Amino acid sequence: MEITRSLYCNASCELISNISAETTDLLIIAPGAEPPFPNCNILLIPDEMMAVPKAKIAVSYGMSPKCSITLSSTGEKPILAIQREITTLSGKTIEPQEIYIQNKYGLPPYPLMAVAAAKLILGLSPDSLS
């Protein structure tokens, strides 16, 4: 499954089409997505992205050890590694840690990391991912 479209949502998780810096709380960019991108409060961006939109907070995801979010295991029980503090939309800090996550739908690594990171940024507890 390849995801090449970015979704824009506000803090109420409403999908929005009229994008502005005032309405975009979380911007999730899929690998291969093409700019232009709107400005946002929190940006979830794949490690391969070159053109980076303006954001108050950027959270990178990918298989690089430089990424904020990566997978330390990709087997039947994937382990999400949070390598740096992450700030949620409500301002809560999630400390670096490793979390076993469910992959009910057999997502490839990049979409799996993006979904798990988005859930954390939206305020779900790390325990809810396992």
Side-chain angles (χ1 to χ4, degrees):
M1 172 190 318
E2 185 173 320
I3 300 172
T4 58
R5 186 169 173 236
S6 297
L7 301 177
Y8 310 104
C9 66
N10 60 21
S12 302
C13 299
E14 300 169 57
L15 197 59
I16 52 178
S17 57
N18 185 12
I19 305 303
S20 72
E22 291 77 39
T23 58
T24 307
D25 293 313
L26 172 61
L27 173 60
I28 304 167
I29 299 179
E34 296 289 329
F37 303 112
N39 297 340
C40 60
N41 291 327
I42 299 179
L43 172 66
L44 188 53
I45 188 166
D47 57 2
E48 68 182 30
M49 190 60 60
M50 296 299 219
V52 179
K54 290 184 181 179
K56 292 179 183 174
I57 299 169
V59 177
S60 61
Y61 66 96
M63 298 308 288
S64 166
K66 294 180 180 181
C67 291
S68 301
I69 300 285
T70 190
L71 292 174
S72 61
S73 175
T74 58
E76 274 188 42
K77 286 193 148 198
I79 299 174
L80 186 75
I82 302 171
Q83 304 199 102
R84 280 171 218 57
E85 288 182 349
I86 295 175
T87 303
T88 67
L89 284 176
S90 66
K92 181 183 170 195
T93 300
I94 299 174
E95 298 292 329
Q97 59 189 288
E98 289 195 338
I99 307 164
Y100 285 101
I101 57 174
Q102 291 184 15
N103 190 3
K104 295 181 199 177
Y105 305 106
L107 293 174
Y110 278 78
L112 181 62
M113 286 183 280
V115 168
K119 287 179 176 182
L120 293 171
I121 292 168
L122 290 170
L124 273 71
S125 75
D127 294 337
S128 70
L129 301 179
S130 55

